[in-house]
């Protein structure tokens, strides 16, 4: 069974990396999180489904610590988030003690459904916005 999960992870992440994400990043109102590449130092933009609540932006990583952008956040928590076509600076917090399935209930339904369907080792992320 673990091998099936590894294959699923590789297939889903390949489709996201080479097909879905490049297309989604071009949509002007797609929500994005921009991290700094931990090795390259270059900006890395990843489409996410989340919600702004006051001065915070919440989302759930479908592969937790295995997600490249989570690994980038761990190395440098300073991020930018594009919400509604506008960029905001902030500091990301990884919240392993938060219940990500409960959190998904408060986030946009379409993305939350995909995260539940394809995800494994879900991890809640909160970005404390500074502007």
């Amino acid at each position: 069974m673990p091998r099936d999960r590894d294959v699923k992870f590789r297939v889903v992440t390949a489709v996201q990396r080479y097909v879905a994400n490049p297309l989604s990043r071009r949509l002007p109102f797609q929500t994005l999180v921009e991290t700094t590449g931990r090795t390259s130092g270059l900006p890395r933009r990843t489409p996410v489904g989340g919600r702004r609540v006051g001065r915070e932006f919440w989302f759930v990583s479908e592969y937790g610590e295995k997600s490249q952008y989570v690994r980038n956040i761990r190395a440098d928590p300073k991020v930018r988030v594009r919400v509604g076509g506008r960029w905001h600076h902030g500091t990301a917090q990884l919240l392993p003690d938060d219940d990500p399935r409960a959190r998904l209930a408060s986030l946009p339904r379409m993305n939350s459904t995909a995260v539940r369907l394809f995800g494994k080792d879900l991890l809640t992320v909160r970005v404390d916005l500074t502007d």
Side-chain angles (χ1 to χ4, degrees), residues 1-13 62-63 66 101 117-121:
M1 192 66 142
R3 185 164 190 234
D4 292 340
R5 289 182 186 161
D6 191 45
V7 170
K8 178 181 172 184
F9 170 77
R10 287 196 321 258
V11 169
V12 170
T13 56
E62 62 191 332
Y63 286 107
K66 286 181 84 174
R101 294 202 176 274
L117 181 63
F118 296 114
K120 176 183 165 283
D121 301 324

Side-chain angles (χ1 to χ4, degrees), residues 18-33:
Y18 299 112
V19 180
N21 289 358
L23 294 173
S24 295
R25 279 192 294 263
R26 293 185 176 163
L27 299 173
F29 285 95
Q30 170 66 50
T31 301
L32 300 173
V33 64

Side-chain angles (χ1 to χ4, degrees), residues 74-89:
R74 187 165 295 293
D76 180 0
K78 299 295 183 203
V79 300
R80 290 194 322 152
V81 180
R82 186 176 77 181
V83 181
R86 185 166 174 255
W87 285 100
H88 305 273
H89 290 87

